[in-house]
C-alpha cells in the first residue's frame, strides 16, 4: 500500500543552525524557511536525489513538536512520511487492520499542500508515520 518515502522529518530547536549544517557541512540543497502557523512549525525542506528531509522548528504556543523537543532537547527524528495513492482508501484499509489514525481521522492539508494523515507511533514501533497523498 505505501509507496515512496516522501521525507524524513527532524525536529530542531534552531532551524537556521540546522539548515546551515545541511547546507554547509553536508552540502545539501536547502530551501528557505517557511512559517506554517496552521501547523505550529517553521519548515525547511532539504532536497536529496531520492527523498527529502523536513526540518521542523516550533512556531507559536502549543506547537505539536514542543513536547518532542522537551524529551529530545538536542532534536531528533520526528516522523517518516510515506506516499499513498488515495489517502482515504489507505486510512480505511489501515483502520480495518487496527491501526490508529491521530486526530479526527480526516486528512488535513500538510506542509506540501497535499492531504496528510498521521498514524499512532505505538502501532508502528515507536515511529510517528505521516501518509501523504502523492
Ligand atoms: Co512531514
Amino acid at each position: 500500500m505505501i509507496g515512496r518515502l516522501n521525507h524524513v522529518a527532524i525536529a530542531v530547536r534552531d532551524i537556521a543552525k540546522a539548515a546551515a549544517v545541511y547546507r554547509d557541512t553536508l552540502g545539501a540543497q536547502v530551501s528557505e524557511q517557511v512559517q506554517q502557523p496552521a501547523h505550529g512549525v517553521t519548515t525547511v525542506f532539504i532536497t536529496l536525489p531520492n527523498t527529502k528531509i523536513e526540518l521542523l522548528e516550533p512556531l507559536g504556543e502549543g506547537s505539536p513538536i514542543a513536547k518532542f523537543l522537551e524529551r529530545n532537547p538536542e532534536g531528533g527524528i520526528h516522523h517518516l512520511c510515506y506516499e499513498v495513492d488515495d489517502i482515504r482508501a489507505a486510512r480505511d484499509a489501515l483502520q480495518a487492520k487496527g491501526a490508529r489514525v491521530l486526530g479526527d481521522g480526516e486528512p488535513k492539508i500538510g506542509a506540501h499542500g497535499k492531504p496528510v494523515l498521521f498514524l499512532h507511533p505505538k502501532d508502528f514501533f515507536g515511529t510517528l508515520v505521516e501518509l501523504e497523498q502523492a
Side-chain angles (χ1 to χ4, degrees):
M1 178 204 303
I2 60 170
R4 284 166 23 103
L5 175 66
N6 184 277
H7 60 268
V8 176
I10 301 176
V12 300
R13 286 200 180 279
D14 183 340
I15 201 165
K17 194 169 162 186
V21 167
Y22 269 85
R23 185 183 58 236
D24 302 333
T25 306
L26 292 170
Q29 184 189 324
V30 172
S31 78
E32 294 300 311
Q33 292 180 32
V34 179
Q35 294 195 340
Q36 313 234 18
H39 298 285
V41 291
T42 299
T43 56
V44 164
F45 277 99
I46 295 153
T47 304
L48 305 179
N50 63 340
T51 191
K52 292 180 286 255
I53 306 296
E54 176 184 56
L55 300 177
L56 300 171
E57 181 188 78
L59 176 66
E61 293 297 307
S63 170
I65 63 168
K67 279 202 181 105
F68 180 90
L69 281 169
E70 275 172 31
R71 292 193 304 269
N72 302 276
E74 304 300 319
I77 294 178
H78 183 262
H79 64 266
L80 301 180
C81 178
Y82 301 121
E83 295 179 0
V84 294
D85 290 331
D86 179 332
I87 198 158
R88 287 192 166 80
R91 173 199 62 195
D92 293 347
L94 283 156
Q95 285 180 327
K97 290 175 183 172
R100 287 168 286 181
V101 176
L102 298 187
D104 64 7
E106 278 305 303
K108 304 280 188 298
I109 298 302
H112 305 144
K114 293 181 174 173
V116 302
L117 285 173
F118 285 91
L119 304 177
H120 202 299
K122 286 191 176 157
D123 295 334
F124 297 97
F125 317 101
T127 305
L128 178 62
V129 173
E130 180 178 25
L131 297 180
E132 180 175 292
Q133 188 160 292

